[in-house]
Amino acid sequence: MHDDRTLVEARLKRVLDERIRPAVYPESVPLDVAVWHAPGEPVPVAEGLAAQPEPIAVGARWGAPWGTSWFRVTGTVPEAWAGRTVEAILDLGFDENMPGFQCEGLVYRPDGTPVKGLNPRNQWVRIGAPVEGGEEVRLHVEAASNPVILDYHPFVPTHLGDKDTAGSEPQYTLARMDLAVLDETVWQLVIDLEVLGELMAELPVESPRRWEILRAVDRALDAIDLQDVGGTAGQARSHLTDVLSAPAVPSAHRISAVGHAHIDSAWLWPLRETVRKVARTTSNMTALLDDEPEFVFAMSQAQQWAWVKEHRPEVWARVKKAVADGRFVPAGGMWVESDTNMPGSEAMARQFVHGKRFFLDEFGIENDEAWLPDTFGFAAGLPQIIKAAGSKYLLTQKISWSQTNKFPHHTFQWEGVDGTRIFTHFPPVDTYNCSMKGSEIAHAARNFKDKGAARHSLAPTGWGDGGGGTTREMVAKAARLRNLEGSATVTWETPAEFFAKAAAEYPEPPVWVGELYLELHRATLTSQAMTKQGNRRSEHLLREAELWAATAAVRTGFPYPYEELDRIWKTVLLHQFHDILPGSSIAWVHREARATYARIAAELNGIIDAAQRALAGEGDTPLVFNAAPHPRAGVPAGGAGTAAGQGGTEPSARPGGGYVLDNGLVRIEIDERGLVVSAHDVEADRETIAPGGAGNLLQLHPDFPNMWDAWDVDEFYRNTVTDLTDADEVTATGEGVRVVRSFGDSRVTQVLSLPAGERRLEVDTEVDWHETEKFLKLAFPLDLHAERYASETQFGHFHRPTHTNTSWEAAKFEACNHRFVHLEEPGWGVAVVNDSTYGHDVTRTVRTDGDRGTTTTVRVSLLRAPRFPDPETDQGVHRFRHALVVGAGIGDAVREGWRINLPERRLTGAGQVAPLVTVDREAVVVTAVKLADDGSGDVIVRFHEAHGGRARATLTTGFPATGVQVTDLLERPLADAEPPALDGDRISVRLRPFELMTLRLQRA
């Protein structure tokens, strides 16, 4: 037989595009359209419906950036259409290649009932099936003219990302507003041919199945009268029946399709627009559930559910019914799909506390899975947190974006810092926006790394990022792929159903130990410094507010601010979303975030001040309140008292220029350039700074990645560096040594100080930053031989290599830490601690002259200046605090990291305030002291082993306790945990390395 394959395939494409798809709607009549443009921000639905619109015609421009326009469409169904299916086609000016990234709409009936959302892949509204003819049609569309930020030429700087700079130029052209007859037979033929054509293209050319499909398609095309597609579509479909009914082979890969709409809680749109995106998508999905009995939809992010409940009660009612039917499924059990690298220990825990509790309170449903398809890598502390929240599975997708190394598993056990293992799935379909294309399904089957041992994978199915969700076309394709020869099988299932099957068939999957590092988007650890500082500060203010309010409530009857703390926690958690905290959202988002963090700080400081004043009482005794988990200057952790005087170290002149800071423990030499050329540990007689090197060195790099400006830093940035060694001023002050530098259009002012009796050089840096596409680092070259170093993560720390033996190590050229990094040789080490930075790098070289020792350089990432999506990223004044801790063990790193983030507070009062809880082992760090969320008055204490070894510790309560329980993060007793003995006011505990424990203490 002659090879006519390419001829038939080309024929299929053209006939589909030019004849069959246009015949889906064979008849149409125009609707009358009028529009009212809402002034300013979106208005309530009732106001939009009541507004008086003006006529507008198809082809007219509409929609200022970020505006809202209310369209009213009216018409009459022709009598001649009686008995047929009729839909309204409402095209606001869509580009079908940009679902979720441009204008969208939500359709209402005149009484305000939401019907469904409109987006580029979902432009229809069902009028009747069948209609009687003569029906009056009246619909209202709340249309959002969100501008296109990420266009076909991506990453072009634009001021459209903030309504204050976006202008008023109309963004869209009204394209089509019609009533149309839907030919359902032709529509089904389109799906048949798409499924078979896409499957055919994925099969080997020599495969008999491919040729069977080709011949069937050829016969179907022969059966179509191109001038009467509707009249011949049924006959064409009959030629496809046999190839569509051939069953899959028994060994076929099995895909659990989960209806999905990954909605970024903010990204290329502000938070307020996400509220509406969620309403549009949930309206669409509840409508699709009504039409498709096998379809299942899952939605994560309790915050988004809460938005629907608060802002769209009429949509919420439909959602609640679908949840009750078991087909609209809460997923993930987190408040938002947060970043997991940068949130602190308690914040990461509270993501699950608030997320799971919302779903439990609203629906009585508890999630077993964490659902994080798009998060930019996963910290090594996360498995323990997932388990402590009562969950046991994790789903992610983003690791498929790694640029250098392909991850070796799709289903595996992920082991965290404390040894906890979580059953993890990484869908081989390699997208969280699966649309049921044959290429996607075939890729999932081919790509699956665990063939032979397992055969199940999951496909999140639906348009995402900007929302939209699953379409009826996707559902129809899935129906044909349920059991089709040559394809993986597809079944709609909930996440819980998938994980149960996957875990049962693969009881001993491979194990991956340590962080799941994404080899991409590394610059998200630095972009938008003020957002990151707001997050860090808010986390520590919340710790203080809970600690002092709980202490005051127990001691004085102070009213514990349950509602305020709950609300503030949820706001902080929302801003940890994986495009807000990482700094990858538009200017509007970060402008609002800065204002929000300022409000939060004011409110939390008010709570802290009120609680501390209640504790201090009346008097004139100077008191220092210490919220850190370690004693400080004689003041106990979590208590208040009179602090021993500390003070600073007076600078003295250095021979040859510069200054010396010497407190008897450490001698710091700062040269005439303002650089630290020596940090000598007096007791150990050990130099910290590498020979010939200089610490406190600011380094400036060009920073123009190949893609994803705010997200990425590419390794070639290191090829060019400017050491900022010229100083405008190096002077002694009462605080220490003041250094001023100018470069480009920017200015840096630093104060270097050495507290008395301490082993830390404090570096306070203020940067007035006005650079573009530059990367600013702060370097400390250390005379220290270390093949690995420790970075703090949630509830512990973990080690990364300093070498680049393999491509896996080389790819980690920018990484995350929380409050510290620590390097050591046996018996002696150095820590670099910070109050608000996350990104860093550690490199090592061997000196070729002199002592031929090793120089290990720690560089802290301070600022970037990408121009997309926010063209003014980080312009302005920033302040950072760091400290170089000399001769530091890991315990010193932990303690100093807490110290720099929790500065002491001073009041006058009656006298000492005893801690609510004390711990007798420095290695056991208390991360939270609070009252139980249920209002019982019980005291909750959360702590973990922080040094990486086993620990036995005694907790002593500063109040009468009648009982103690070990609980999960949601403060529920753990059935399999034996409660520690309570002996008077003493509780003895044993902890494994990095083990996390939560105790619930009943008060007398």
Side-chain angles (χ1 to χ4, degrees):
M1 182 180 292
H2 296 296
D3 185 352
D4 60 350
R5 177 177 54 84
T6 56
L7 189 68
V8 176
E9 290 171 356
R11 180 191 185 193
L12 172 61
K13 182 180 186 310
R14 185 176 186 194
V15 173
L16 257 178
D17 288 346
E18 297 184 22
R19 291 293 185 270
I20 303 178
R21 288 195 185 98
V24 168
Y25 291 106
E27 299 177 55
S28 64
V29 296
L31 288 158
D32 293 322
V33 189
V35 66
W36 174 72
H37 303 294
E41 286 295 278
V43 300
V45 173
E47 184 177 342
L49 294 176
Q52 294 301 309
E54 299 290 332
I56 186 173
V58 167
R61 299 282 289 169
W62 72 277
W66 306 114
T68 300
S69 298
W70 283 83
F71 290 94
R72 185 188 67 196
V73 295
T74 56
T76 303
V77 176
E79 299 285 354
W81 291 0
R84 304 171 78 180
T85 298
V86 174
E87 294 181 342
I89 309 301
L90 307 178
D91 185 344
L92 300 173
F94 297 126
D95 178 341
E96 68 171 17
N97 295 316
M98 291 189 176
F101 291 91
Q102 53 174 236
C103 61
E104 301 172 53
L106 182 55
V107 180
Y108 295 89
R109 296 189 179 92
D111 64 0
T113 304
V115 181
K116 67 188 295 287
L118 298 176
N119 63 59
R121 298 295 181 99
N122 211 324
Q123 303 177 19
W124 58 273
V125 180
R126 181 64 57 89
I127 301 300
V131 295
E132 295 180 358
E135 291 95 335
E136 294 297 322
V137 175
R138 185 185 181 96
L139 298 171
H140 298 262
V141 181
E142 180 190 15
S145 50
N146 302 331
V148 175
I149 306 293
L150 188 66
D151 214 331
Y152 287 100
H153 183 180
F155 319 123
V156 174
T158 174
H159 288 282
L160 288 171
D162 194 328
K163 65 176 181 178
D164 291 345
T165 59
S168 58
E169 184 70 21
Q171 299 292 294
Y172 298 99
T173 300
L174 200 63
R176 184 179 182 185
M177 292 280 172
D178 289 346
L179 285 177
V181 172
L182 172 68
D183 190 321
E184 295 190 65
T185 304
V186 175
W187 186 86
Q188 295 288 355
L189 176 61
V190 169
I191 302 299
D192 290 345
L193 290 171
E194 286 182 351
V195 167
L196 291 171
E198 290 165 3
L199 173 60
M200 182 170 60
E202 297 300 320
L203 295 171
V205 173
E206 64 275 13
S207 163
R209 174 64 169 163
R210 179 165 182 158
W211 289 89
E212 289 172 1
I213 295 173
L214 186 81
R215 294 294 163 230
V217 167
D218 204 20
R219 291 191 297 271
L221 295 177
D222 287 342
I224 294 173
D225 181 343
L226 297 183
Q227 278 67 52
D228 184 17
V229 174
T232 55
Q235 183 180 355
R237 291 195 73 202
S238 70
H239 289 286
L240 303 176
T241 301
D242 289 344
V243 288
L244 283 169
S245 60
V249 297
S251 61
H253 185 68
R254 298 171 184 174
I255 292 177
S256 296
V258 178
H260 185 239
H262 171 67
I263 304 177
D264 286 312
S265 289
W267 180 27
L268 304 179
W269 44 87
L271 287 167
R272 68 91 154 144
E273 193 55 34
T274 313
V275 174
R276 302 201 295 175
K277 283 178 174 286
V278 174
R280 297 174 199 126
T281 297
T282 52
S283 295
N284 259 351
M285 295 304 95
T286 52
L288 190 60
L289 288 167
D290 289 341
D291 295 339
E292 303 290 349
E294 294 185 354
F295 175 56
V296 174
F297 182 75
M299 190 168 92
S300 66
Q301 307 193 74
Q303 171 68 89
Q304 296 187 0
W305 292 70
W307 279 333
V308 178
K309 180 181 180 182
E310 178 183 357
H311 296 283
R312 289 290 194 269
E314 64 283 2
V315 179
W316 179 248
R318 290 163 54 177
V319 168
K320 286 189 71 172
K321 179 182 182 303
V323 172
D325 293 340
R327 299 177 58 216
F328 197 119
V329 182
M334 295 175 67
W335 191 247
V336 294
E337 289 181 11
S338 73
D339 180 82
T340 77
N341 286 312
M342 291 176 281
S345 303
E346 274 302 309
M348 200 73 254
R350 305 300 174 96
Q351 286 285 353
F352 288 90
V353 169
H354 287 284
K356 296 193 80 167
R357 189 171 285 148
F358 181 89
F359 294 138
L360 282 165
D361 290 347
E362 294 294 336
F363 308 113
I365 291 173
E366 180 161 8
N367 302 103
D368 283 338
E369 78 288 336
W371 184 274
L372 292 164
D374 190 30
T375 297
F376 309 153
F378 300 89
L382 188 57
Q384 180 174 207
I385 297 171
I386 293 172
K387 183 176 181 180
S391 297
K392 53 187 178 182
Y393 305 124
L394 169 67
L395 178 133
T396 182
Q397 180 66 66
K398 200 70 170 189
I399 300 300
S400 68
W401 286 42
S402 283
Q403 287 180 315
T404 306
N405 299 285
K406 196 166 181 64
F407 197 75
H409 316 298
H410 282 107
T411 302
F412 58 99
Q413 291 276 11
W414 178 29
E415 181 178 318
V417 291
D418 73 314
T420 297
R421 291 181 176 179
I422 293 294
F423 187 88
T424 301
H425 182 65
F426 162 30
V429 71
D430 280 352
T431 177
Y432 48 78
N433 294 326
C434 177
S435 62
M436 283 292 139
K437 286 183 180 177
S439 56
E440 295 169 336
I441 302 306
H443 176 75
R446 283 195 303 264
N447 189 40
F448 188 53
K449 291 285 190 298
D450 303 283
K451 297 183 191 73
R455 64 171 58 170
H456 277 85
S457 72
L458 186 147
T461 302
W463 299 115
D465 289 316
T470 318
T471 65
R472 62 183 178 184
E473 288 80 11
M474 296 175 195
V475 176
K477 285 188 171 185
R480 289 157 174 80
L481 295 170
R482 172 184 284 276
N483 187 19
L484 183 61
E485 183 185 353
S487 171
T489 66
V490 175
T491 306
W492 293 107
E493 291 186 303
T494 66
E497 289 169 332
F498 161 75
F499 275 111
K501 290 180 179 179
E505 77 168 1
Y506 207 8
E508 295 186 12
V511 177
W512 181 270
V513 178
E515 66 180 330
L516 292 173
Y517 179 91
L518 177 64
E519 296 171 355
L520 193 74
H521 292 359
R522 301 166 180 91
T524 58
L525 303 173
T526 306
S527 296
Q528 298 286 0
M530 288 185 182
T531 298
K532 291 170 171 58
Q533 289 179 323
N535 173 74
R536 179 77 71 84
R537 187 69 181 126
S538 296
E539 290 179 351
H540 289 85
L541 286 171
L542 277 161
R543 170 195 174 84
E544 290 191 82
E546 289 182 338
L547 168 66
W548 300 125
T551 306
V554 172
R555 295 277 165 71
T556 73
F558 179 82
Y560 191 79
Y562 291 101
E563 293 182 3
E564 293 91 337
L565 290 172
D566 179 79
R567 171 177 46 78
I568 295 170
W569 262 119
K570 288 173 179 175
T571 301
V572 172
L573 298 178
L574 166 60
H575 286 78
Q576 291 177 340
F577 178 75
H578 65 251
D579 278 306
I580 303 179
L581 179 54
S584 48
S585 287
I586 55 174
W588 189 348
V589 173
H590 293 289
R591 172 172 56 80
E592 288 191 331
R594 292 191 292 271
T596 298
Y597 284 130
R599 289 195 304 272
I600 286 171
E603 190 168 1
L604 288 173
N605 278 315
I607 292 171
I608 292 164
D609 183 68
Q612 288 181 339
R613 290 188 182 281
L615 287 164
E618 297 295 328
D620 55 8
T621 301
L623 296 176
V624 170
F625 281 79
N626 174 22
H630 308 95
R632 177 186 297 172
V635 180
T642 303
Q646 190 174 35
T649 302
E650 285 290 328
S652 61
R654 174 179 176 267
Y659 297 92
V660 174
L661 298 170
D662 189 340
N663 65 3
L665 298 175
V666 180
R667 176 184 169 88
I668 304 293
E669 293 189 31
I670 301 164
D671 71 5
E672 71 282 0
R673 302 169 298 171
L675 302 179
V676 177
V677 292
S678 175
H680 191 78
D681 183 336
V682 175
E683 181 181 358
D685 190 21
R686 173 76 186 254
E687 178 57 54
T688 305
I689 302 298
N696 190 45
L697 175 63
L698 290 165
Q699 295 183 303
L700 193 65
H701 295 270
D703 184 18
F704 189 63
N706 289 344
M707 297 177 67
W708 299 106
D709 296 40
W711 294 256
D712 282 359
V713 57
D714 291 328
E715 192 171 14
F716 55 72
Y717 88 93
R718 290 179 170 176
N719 297 348
T720 306
V721 60
T722 301
D723 292 343
L724 303 178
T725 57
D726 292 339
D728 302 342
E729 175 187 333
V730 179
T731 55
T733 72
E735 300 173 274
V737 177
R738 184 171 185 265
V739 182
V740 179
R741 305 184 196 280
S742 300
F743 59 94
D745 295 321
S746 302
R747 179 182 172 93
V748 176
T749 303
Q750 293 182 299
V751 175
L752 284 68
S753 57
L754 180 65
E758 301 291 345
R759 308 173 68 86
R760 65 176 182 268
L761 171 67
E762 298 183 351
V763 182
D764 193 330
T765 304
E766 182 179 280
V767 187
D768 189 3
W769 179 247
H770 298 283
E771 304 306 301
T772 299
E773 294 168 350
K774 296 289 193 294
F775 197 0
L776 183 65
K777 293 247 181 184
L778 177 64
F780 293 93
L782 307 175
D783 186 11
L784 194 145
H785 178 85
E787 294 182 357
R788 66 176 192 170
Y789 72 97
S791 290
E792 189 187 31
T793 188
Q794 293 101 0
F795 298 111
H797 59 265
F798 72 104
H799 292 92
R800 295 188 185 97
T802 60
H803 59 74
T804 54
N805 281 358
T806 73
S807 58
W808 293 88
E809 285 108 19
K812 296 183 180 182
F813 59 83
E814 185 79 4
C816 183
N817 65 277
H818 286 187
R819 286 168 289 229
F820 69 80
V821 295
H822 177 256
L823 304 91
E824 67 178 345
E825 295 174 4
W828 193 87
V830 178
V832 178
V833 301
N834 72 84
D835 76 337
S836 60
T837 56
Y838 297 92
H840 71 276
D841 67 84
V842 178
T843 55
R844 65 199 296 268
T845 59
V846 174
R847 302 187 287 273
T848 57
D849 53 5
D851 66 353
R852 292 179 294 180
T854 301
T855 298
T856 304
T857 301
V858 177
R859 298 200 309 162
V860 176
S861 303
L862 297 182
L863 289 165
R864 300 183 67 234
R867 300 183 63 220
F868 182 88
D870 176 3
E872 304 297 327
T873 300
D874 278 332
Q875 302 299 297
V877 177
H878 306 266
R879 186 178 178 187
F880 307 96
R881 297 178 66 233
H882 294 86
L884 179 72
V885 188
V886 175
I890 193 67
D892 300 308
V894 172
R895 183 185 64 255
E896 293 298 331
W898 279 101
R899 183 206 60 78
I900 200 171
N901 282 273
L902 285 167
E904 61 194 27
R905 294 174 182 264
R906 296 178 179 270
L907 291 176
T908 58
Q912 181 173 335
V913 178
L916 213 50
V917 176
T918 59
V919 185
D920 67 348
R921 291 290 181 271
E922 186 181 62
V924 177
V925 170
V926 175
T927 60
V929 177
K930 59 189 287 292
L931 294 192
D933 291 340
D934 61 7
S936 63
D938 292 349
V939 174
I940 302 296
V941 183
R942 186 152 34 250
F943 51 90
H944 71 289
E945 195 289 317
H947 293 182
R950 293 182 180 269
R952 299 176 67 173
T954 299
L955 278 70
T956 302
T957 63
F959 60 92
T962 59
V964 58
Q965 295 175 313
V966 181
T967 74
D968 66 5
L969 294 179
L970 276 71
E971 302 169 6
R972 302 172 299 189
L974 292 174
D976 59 350
E978 183 177 346
L982 176 61
D983 182 9
D985 61 355
R986 296 162 62 86
I987 303 167
S988 297
V989 297
R990 296 189 181 193
L991 298 175
R992 301 184 311 275
F994 301 127
E995 182 179 0
L996 161 66
M997 184 177 289
T998 304
L999 296 183
R1000 183 179 186 124
L1001 308 176
Q1002 289 83 41
R1003 290 160 55 196

